[in-house]
Amino acid sequence: MSENKSLKLTLKVWRQKNRQAKGEFKIYDVENISTEASFLEMMDILNEQLVNDPEKYPEGPVSFDHDCREGICGMCSLFINGRAHGPDDAITTCQLHMRKFNDGDTITIEPWRSGGFPVIKDLMVDRTAYDKIMQAGGFVSVSTGGVPDANAIPISKVDADEAMDAAACIGCGACAATCKNGSAMLFVSAKVSQLALLPQGKVEAARRAKAMVAKMDELGFGNCTNTGACELECPKQVSISHIARLNREFLKANIQD
């Protein structure tokens, strides 16, 4: 069990009024931060400090995104000391604890840096591009009639497990923000895989792969060059093997045309 200590930290936080404004880093000092606090709890403490002293901090509290704080929704998208979701593996920002830092550390906090995710304000970015990609092809249109029995369609355990692993993607955007090309291929491939591996997804497979890749390109995301950075920083450890499946599905769809 780790010992509960207090930290004094210097925070270098990106502040930007809106997407048209020019942003800059602001320096803030925080004290008495418990090592057992989460990173977002530390941000809450910072904002309380900023709100309570408007004369010293006329810029007001820092805007950042969050919802469940349980590693499920993927909204807590922050670049911390140059890493998506911070200096730990297979976690989201809300699951990062302050015991990962040392007393006296300077922590640099930025929003996602990707053309597909424009800054809304401060640390909040617009991630609706991922929603648009999902809308382009992430559905099944086959008529199934009444609700089928859960075991009516036989699916091998290998395929079912791999589809579930792909479905674990929470769409946080760490893959695109980490990729040197700003590629969203890991996200798109995970969403294609979770359906392409199952019988229910076969009917729309060709159209889905082409539509989602086309929408990804339209929204300004870059191309994949297989450096593997996306897999390394993915909080759900989605494998880049899904990118190979997406490429096969896309190639197959174009040959069928």
Side-chain angles (χ1 to χ4, degrees):
M1 187 173 180
S2 60
E3 184 182 352
N4 191 348
K5 298 179 181 179
S6 292
L7 305 175
K8 181 178 180 180
L9 304 164
T10 298
L11 306 178
K12 190 178 179 183
V13 183
W14 183 257
R15 304 302 308 265
Q16 186 171 338
K17 189 174 182 180
N18 52 54
R19 69 178 62 185
Q20 287 79 31
K22 183 178 180 181
E24 63 178 341
F25 282 106
K26 291 281 189 178
I27 308 298
Y28 304 108
D29 293 318
V30 290
E31 300 181 359
N32 300 319
I33 303 298
S34 170
T35 51
E36 296 306 302
S38 73
F39 196 87
L40 294 190
E41 287 172 336
M42 182 276 294
M43 293 295 295
D44 291 336
I45 293 170
L46 168 64
N47 275 344
E48 185 175 346
Q49 177 178 311
L50 301 184
V51 168
N52 289 338
D53 196 346
E55 291 187 7
K56 184 177 181 180
Y57 306 110
E59 64 273 23
V62 179
S63 295
F64 62 95
D65 229 341
H66 63 91
D67 191 2
C68 71
R69 299 203 180 200
E70 295 178 348
I72 299 172
C73 70
M75 293 179 68
C76 54
S77 48
L78 298 180
F79 235 71
I80 302 166
N81 285 347
R83 284 193 66 181
H85 295 301
D88 206 347
D89 299 323
I91 63 161
T92 53
T93 300
C94 61
Q95 295 172 302
L96 177 66
H97 283 79
M98 298 311 296
R99 55 179 170 268
K100 284 291 180 179
F101 302 93
N102 299 311
D103 189 42
D105 277 357
T106 296
I107 304 174
T108 302
I109 311 168
E110 304 171 77
W112 284 164
R113 301 292 191 182
S114 173
F117 302 135
V119 172
I120 297 174
K121 184 179 181 182
D122 296 337
L123 304 175
M124 293 179 65
V125 299
D126 183 350
R127 292 184 298 129
T128 55
Y130 272 11
D131 296 329
K132 293 175 182 177
I133 293 173
M134 286 296 294
Q135 290 166 4
F139 61 89
V140 176
S141 64
V142 61
S143 177
T144 59
V147 179
D149 183 82
N151 298 317
I153 303 175
I155 301 170
S156 73
K157 187 176 188 308
V158 172
D159 287 344
D161 287 348
E162 195 169 358
M164 286 296 290
D165 289 342
C169 169
I170 55 177
C172 67
C175 51
T178 298
C179 177
K180 66 178 182 179
N181 305 319
S183 173
M185 282 287 279
L186 189 64
F187 166 76
V188 176
S189 66
K191 297 308 175 186
V192 165
S193 277
Q194 73 184 57
L195 292 173
L197 284 159
L198 303 177
Q200 296 92 330
K202 298 296 184 185
V203 176
E204 294 284 341
R207 191 203 65 79
R208 182 184 306 111
K210 291 179 66 176
M212 294 180 78
V213 169
K215 181 59 69 172
M216 175 184 70
D217 291 342
E218 176 191 324
L219 294 171
F221 291 100
N223 294 317
C224 173
T225 49
N226 292 311
T227 59
C230 54
E231 180 183 69
L232 181 66
E233 297 295 5
C234 175
K236 300 303 177 182
Q237 298 183 302
V238 174
S239 171
I240 57 173
S241 64
H242 295 297
I243 296 178
R245 177 174 292 104
L246 171 60
N247 288 332
R248 291 195 297 271
E249 292 288 329
F250 185 75
L251 180 61
K252 189 193 309 180
N254 281 283
I255 290 174
Q256 289 173 353
D257 280 353

